[in-house]
Amino acid sequence: MKKLQIIALLASIFLLQACVHKLVTVPVKVAYKTTKGVVKGTVAVTKAIIPGGDEDDDNKNDKK
């Protein structure tokens, strides 16, 4: 009887491991994608506000 309880306990641990993995990884993926989108939007706004920012670097290289 003791062996059956141990086997049932080990089986439930392995079955619940997949659920715990999903509970941890899904919010992390959502947070990563949200942050990635916000950063891309910030970069786009910054480039729109500061036009020709890259051209200044090109002009410095041409003078050398």
Side-chain angles (χ1 to χ4, degrees), residues 31-55:
Y32 171 74
K33 287 181 182 179
T34 303
T35 306
K36 186 174 155 184
V38 169
V39 169
K40 283 185 178 181
T42 304
V43 169
V45 168
T46 305
K47 284 186 177 181
I49 292 173
I50 307 172
D54 293 332
E55 293 173 3

Side-chain angles (χ1 to χ4, degrees), residues 2-50:
K2 226 23 164 168
K3 287 183 181 180
L4 182 61
Q5 290 175 346
I6 292 173
I7 291 172
L9 180 66
L10 289 174
S12 64
I13 288 171
F14 286 118
L15 291 173
L16 288 174
Q17 187 176 10
C19 295
V20 171
H21 177 73
K22 282 283 187 188
L23 286 173
V24 172
T25 57
V26 169
V28 171
K29 286 181 184 178
V30 169
Y32 171 74
K33 287 181 182 179
T34 303
T35 306
K36 186 174 155 184
V38 169
V39 169
K40 283 185 178 181
T42 304
V43 169
V45 168
T46 305
K47 284 186 177 181
I49 292 173
I50 307 172

